[in-house]
């Protein structure tokens, strides 16, 4: 095992979806470092279809307010259709991570109102001082989206390595038309995901649990 692998594993294992942040802003130079590091992700033909539109200062609150208004007004209209179903083990894992969150924050299984309240936190960015809107070139289709998935992972790992918390959010990308209008992005950009990020607040219950992972035998198919 090399030192490089040990340190990569450490970062992979330290990353988690952070759902409570301190309000302090991240310096511009650090934002640039994260985006430059994430930009090392591979892409088909090296097309690098991704771009991160990142709010700072009052722009985060301005976007949050516009998003909350869209939540009241618009129907979800994600650029990438949401999954139709989560068959078998996928559904079980989905259920487990949801229950872990609700248990951590003390929400009973059948308390729909409290669940809705918790999921609304997505649109307050869990108190993060920054949100990155991650978009890709529409003409590159599914492959552009796949490449940009790698960029998203690399972004969250770079943030972790710098001591920051982050969370990818499909829930925010559901308001893609409003996001394009708000940030003056052309129709040719697919809104894939948002990433709320900043300095993590370790104490709130939402940050105290960690999700599980499948055993090697479930994800490794040696032939
Ligand atoms: C593309 C993508 C979209 C996600 N969207 C949301 C979201 O809208 N809200 C949320 O609370 N978590 C969201 N998550 C976080 C996942 O629930 C989380 O990554 C998963 O449960 C594994 O937990 P971990 O990130 O703590 O390891 C998203 C993750 C990804 C990769």
């Amino acid at each position: 095992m090399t030192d490089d692998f040990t340190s990569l594993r450490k970062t992979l294992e330290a990353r988690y979806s952070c759902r409570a942040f301190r309000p302090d802003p991240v310096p511009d130079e650090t934002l640039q470092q994260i985006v430059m590091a994430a930009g090392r992700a591979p892409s088909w033909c090296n097309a690098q279809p991704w771009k991160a539109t990142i709010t700072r200062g009052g722009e985060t609150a301005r976007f949050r307010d516009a998003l909350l208004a869209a939540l009241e007004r618009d129907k979800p209209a994600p650029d990438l259709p949401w999954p139709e179903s989560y068959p078998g083990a996928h559904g079980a894992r989905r259920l487990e991570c949801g229950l872990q969150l609700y248990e951590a924050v003390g929400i009973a299984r059948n308390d729909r109102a409290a669940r809705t309240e918790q999921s609304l936190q997505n649109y307050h960015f869990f108190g993060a001082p920054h949100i990155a809107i991650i978009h890709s070139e529409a003409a590159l289709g599914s492959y552009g989206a796949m490449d940009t998935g790698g960029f998203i992972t690399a972004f969250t790992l770079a943030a972790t390595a710098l001591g920051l918390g982050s969370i990818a959010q499909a829930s925010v990308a559901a308001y893609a038309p409003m996001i394009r209008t708000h940030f003056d992005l052309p129709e040719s950009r697919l809104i894939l995901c948002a990433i709320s990020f900043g300095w993590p607040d370790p104490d709130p219950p939402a940050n105290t649990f960690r999700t599980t992972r499948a055993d090697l035998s479930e994800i490794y198919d040696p032939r």
Side-chain angles (χ1 to χ4, degrees):
M1 195 112 50
T2 64
D3 287 351
D4 282 353
F5 185 68
T6 303
S7 110
L8 177 61
R9 275 285 313 238
K10 213 172 125 196
T11 305
L12 283 161
E13 284 166 17
R15 190 212 56 78
Y16 66 97
S17 288
C18 180
R19 294 185 177 88
F21 295 88
R22 302 209 320 252
D24 322 55
V26 176
D28 270 356
E29 198 193 353
T30 307
L31 302 181
Q32 291 168 18
Q33 279 177 336
I34 294 170
V35 175
M36 283 299 287
R40 295 305 307 177
S43 55
W44 194 7
C45 306
N46 200 26
Q48 305 168 61
W50 46 70
K51 194 163 190 170
T53 296
I54 299 184
T55 62
R56 296 163 306 153
E59 287 305 310
T60 304
R62 210 169 73 78
F63 175 54
R64 180 203 59 213
D65 292 346
L67 188 61
L68 288 171
L71 205 62
E72 296 282 313
R73 186 189 62 225
D74 303 341
K75 284 206 167 73
D79 285 344
L80 289 191
W82 281 340
E84 285 168 18
S85 66
Y86 288 83
H90 308 294
R93 294 171 193 151
R94 179 180 185 228
L95 188 68
E96 183 193 49
C97 79
L99 290 177
Q100 280 183 292
L101 170 62
Y102 295 132
E103 194 171 295
V105 299
I107 293 176
R109 249 186 128 142
N110 53 3
D111 191 344
R112 277 178 150 250
R115 281 178 177 225
T116 304
E117 195 54 40
Q118 171 62 35
S119 72
L120 266 179
Q121 283 302 310
N122 274 288
Y123 305 99
H124 291 267
F125 317 143
F126 304 101
H130 304 281
I131 188 158
I133 301 298
I134 310 296
H135 42 101
S136 75
E137 186 59 41
L140 276 61
S142 302
Y143 286 90
M146 181 158 72
D147 295 342
T148 305
F151 176 84
I152 290 165
T153 298
F155 187 112
T156 62
L157 290 174
T160 302
L162 288 162
L164 295 165
S166 64
I167 179 167
Q169 292 172 275
S171 49
V172 172
Y175 295 88
M178 167 268 158
I179 292 173
R180 262 189 297 273
T181 305
H182 183 86
F183 291 109
D184 200 17
L185 299 172
E187 285 294 322
S188 59
R189 300 303 296 176
L190 282 184
I191 309 297
L192 297 185
C193 190
I195 305 175
S196 291
F197 68 102
W199 309 106
D201 187 346
D203 297 329
N207 276 348
T208 57
F209 76 97
R210 294 295 177 268
T211 50
T212 62
R213 288 299 185 271
D215 287 337
L216 182 66
S217 61
E218 291 181 69
I219 60 169
Y220 177 50
D221 182 20
R223 302 296 175 103

